[in-house]
């Protein structure tokens, strides 16, 4: 498979980076790196150059109010930003290195914090993701036999829709089919298709993109 061969050539098989690449092979490949990565491997930029990729977006995570405190993450540090800027400068003219972030959007005060974070640094690329309610993650609800699957799907898309009506400081919606991954089955889309249609309509009107699965 081309995807496997590409990861193999980059020596990313059985690595966290390899598992986190949402797609590879287009003019712009997005490499998602978690905040605990201490440095940005130059090998990624070199691999992108060798594959003829025009640019990469290396994207940290900001999840200030994740329901499980263990998984909460703050804003990237100034040292991280300096490292990213240095990488971009080092490879200027060979491959474009975009500085990105994925924000875990929640209603209420969290959204205000994400809006402030989006304006606190000149990110090139911002992903908006919706992993949880303020009380519980959607993957947990989707797996819970006590939760009705259809209700979880409806609640997830209702929250996404509510958030993107206000939150505009992003470039791409991420993981829009998040609950599909964890639910025991995917309900008929007639139960939530109206919400998805409205989400896509608003995103398109706002000039936003949609990330791969």
């Amino acid at each position: 498979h081309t995807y496997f061969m590409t990861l193999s050539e980059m020596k990313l098989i059985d690595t966290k980076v390899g598992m986190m690449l949402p797609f590879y092979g287009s003019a712009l490949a997005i490499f998602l790196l978690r905040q605990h990565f201490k440095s940005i491997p130059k090998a990624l930029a070199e691999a992108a150059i060798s594959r003829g990729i025009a640019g990469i977006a290396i994207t940290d995570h900001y999840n200030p109010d994740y329901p499980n405190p263990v998984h909460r993450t703050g804003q990237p540090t100034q040292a991280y930003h300096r490292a990213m800027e240095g990488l971009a400068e080092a490879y200027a003219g060979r491959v474009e290195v975009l500085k990105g972030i994925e924000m875990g959007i929640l209603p209420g005060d969290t959204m205000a914090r994400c809006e402030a974070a989006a304006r606190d640094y000149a990110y090139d690329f911002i992903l908006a993701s919706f992993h949880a309610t303020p009380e519980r993650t959607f993957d947990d609800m989707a797996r819970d036999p006590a939760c009705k699957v259809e209700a979880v799907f409806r609640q997830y898309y209702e929250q996404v829709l509510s958030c993107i009506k206000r939150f505009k400081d992003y470039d791409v919606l991420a993981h829009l089919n998040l609950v599909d991954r964890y639910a025991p089955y995917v309900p008929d889309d007639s139960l939530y298709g109206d919400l998805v249609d409205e989400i896509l309509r608003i995103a398109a009107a706002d000039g936003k993109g949609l990330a791969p699965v």
Side-chain angles (χ1 to χ4, degrees), residues 15-187:
T15 67
K16 290 181 180 178
V17 175
M19 289 186 288
M20 292 165 66
L21 291 178
F23 68 99
Y24 193 92
S26 63
L28 178 65
I30 302 174
F31 295 90
L32 298 180
L33 301 180
R34 293 303 299 267
Q35 188 169 1
H36 62 261
F37 276 52
K38 299 295 185 181
S39 62
I40 306 302
K42 293 182 179 179
L44 289 174
E46 295 289 349
I49 293 168
S50 70
R51 299 294 295 182
I53 293 176
I56 56 176
I58 301 177
T59 308
D60 204 346
H61 286 67
Y62 177 50
N63 295 303
D65 298 310
Y66 204 78
N68 183 344
V70 173
H71 299 296
R72 290 177 187 168
T73 55
Q75 293 187 54
T77 64
Q78 290 302 313
Y80 172 85
H81 289 317
R82 286 194 296 271
M84 285 295 304
E85 291 161 3
L87 188 68
E89 290 174 6
Y91 284 90
R94 299 166 63 195
V95 63
E96 185 178 18
V97 179
L98 301 180
K99 303 173 289 294
I101 192 166
E102 178 178 336
M103 296 190 174
I105 311 301
L106 289 172
D109 292 341
T110 303
M111 194 179 302
R113 279 191 278 276
C114 287
E115 288 171 337
R119 297 164 188 172
D120 189 51
Y121 181 78
Y123 292 104
D124 300 309
F125 191 82
I126 298 178
L127 289 159
S129 59
F130 308 86
H131 292 275
T133 70
E135 296 80 26
R136 195 174 181 189
T137 63
F138 283 109
D139 62 288
D140 184 42
M141 288 188 284
R143 294 189 187 103
D144 187 350
C147 293
K148 188 175 180 181
V149 172
E150 290 78 4
V152 174
F153 270 72
R154 186 87 189 170
Q155 182 180 359
Y156 171 71
Y157 288 113
E158 285 175 344
Q159 180 166 306
V160 173
L161 178 58
S162 173
C163 287
I164 68 166
K165 285 181 177 179
R166 170 181 163 183
F167 186 76
K168 305 295 183 180
D169 294 313
Y170 74 97
D171 299 290
V172 167
L173 286 174
H175 323 309
L176 191 56
N177 63 341
L178 175 80
V179 285
D180 291 22
R181 305 178 187 178
Y182 306 106
Y185 62 90
V186 177

